[in-house]
Amino acid sequence: SGKTPNAYQSYVVELGDIPGQDVDALLINNELVTIGTTPHPDYGYPLEGKYAGYAWVKIYDGTQTVADPMLVDKYGSFPERPWNSNMVGAGIPYLILTCLLNRELLKSDPNIRVVTNGIPLYDPRKDDTVGGSGTHRWDDKSTWEPSSNNIVQAFNIMRGIELPSGDIWGGEIELEDLPLNNWMAGMNACDASIAREGGGSEPAFRSGIEVFVTDLPVDLLL
């Protein structure tokens, strides 16, 4: 940038191992930042506030089929660990944070924390073939959506969540062994609207947690 060599640095952060996740919030050095709406042609959406003009973020949800063109262009011939066109990250949601040198803003590598909306889950209440209303289908993951509903999450763990490798994380329990009337009642109880202090309302129960494939499914259910 100008006369400054190596003025930009890019950080690639994996968000998970199941596609379909998006970013709800981004924190840099434990501070919530605002993401702008007009993207830079190379670096993605600008961060606003004190980072305006010095930091940008690009987000992939795991459905990408090609490597990020900026990483290939800027780092394809880098002497250490060059980023080549084979580095697609198929099935992996990730973000790229690119920063322009400013020692007042970032005196060292930033601590990056991300809040995602979670993995897509199947909600039988949204499947009109099993007594619900909607287009969700157990055998078509493209119809699923992220959910913070405790019982929807538990139901998917009981049925088993398929990983990109083909392995199943969870119970692999057949649908006929999970009485839908009972499960739907629990899901509805979680979604029941309750008043908030200061006005408005929210669901009675919500949950969210970072899960590792090494975690035992039964531990999450408990």
Side-chain angles (χ1 to χ4, degrees):
S1 177
K3 296 183 179 181
T4 305
N6 300 319
Y8 291 86
Q9 187 161 359
S10 297
Y11 303 86
V12 180
V13 182
E14 181 183 0
L15 305 180
D17 293 321
I18 294 180
Q21 301 180 60
D22 203 353
V23 173
D24 277 349
L26 174 65
L27 295 90
I28 297 179
N29 294 337
N30 298 318
E31 180 182 17
L32 184 67
V33 297
T34 300
I35 301 175
T37 58
T38 304
H40 183 282
D42 293 325
Y43 304 129
Y45 293 98
L47 302 189
E48 298 182 344
K50 67 181 183 181
Y51 291 105
Y54 292 98
W56 300 261
V57 64
K58 189 184 293 186
I59 301 165
Y60 288 96
D61 70 356
T63 61
Q64 67 276 359
T65 58
V66 297
D68 178 76
M70 183 277 291
L71 292 177
V72 174
D73 178 53
K74 304 294 185 183
Y75 303 100
S77 58
F78 201 68
E80 293 184 40
R81 295 174 295 178
W83 199 278
N84 62 55
S85 59
N86 293 324
M87 296 178 174
V88 176
I92 298 174
Y94 72 96
L95 67 78
I96 307 164
L97 176 69
T98 299
C99 300
L100 174 60
L101 179 67
N102 183 320
R103 300 193 187 282
E104 296 301 317
L105 282 178
L106 296 173
K107 295 180 174 60
S108 61
D109 288 344
N111 178 280
I112 303 168
R113 297 181 66 86
V114 183
V115 180
T116 75
N117 62 348
I119 66 172
L121 297 173
Y122 170 74
D123 187 337
R125 298 173 301 168
K126 298 180 179 181
D127 184 345
D128 57 22
T129 68
V130 296
S133 175
T135 60
H136 275 218
R137 298 292 185 269
W138 174 254
D139 58 358
D140 185 356
K141 293 182 178 62
S142 69
T143 65
W144 300 7
E145 303 165 285
S147 174
S148 61
N149 184 292
N150 309 53
I151 304 301
V152 170
Q153 295 170 355
F155 180 85
N156 280 261
I157 293 173
M158 296 286 280
R159 290 296 316 270
I161 296 172
E162 184 178 6
L163 305 176
S165 63
D167 295 317
I168 302 296
W169 186 89
E172 297 188 71
I173 297 175
E174 296 296 330
L175 179 61
E176 53 265 29
D177 295 324
L178 298 172
L180 283 181
N181 287 340
N182 296 341
W183 284 89
M184 289 182 180
M187 295 169 187
N188 290 334
C190 289
D191 281 344
S193 181
I194 59 172
R196 300 181 60 180
E197 291 185 14
S201 63
E202 63 183 358
F205 298 97
R206 290 175 292 172
S207 65
I209 188 171
E210 184 177 12
V211 181
F212 297 90
V213 294
T214 52
D215 292 337
L216 291 177
V218 67
D219 290 341
L220 270 76
L221 294 172
L222 296 176

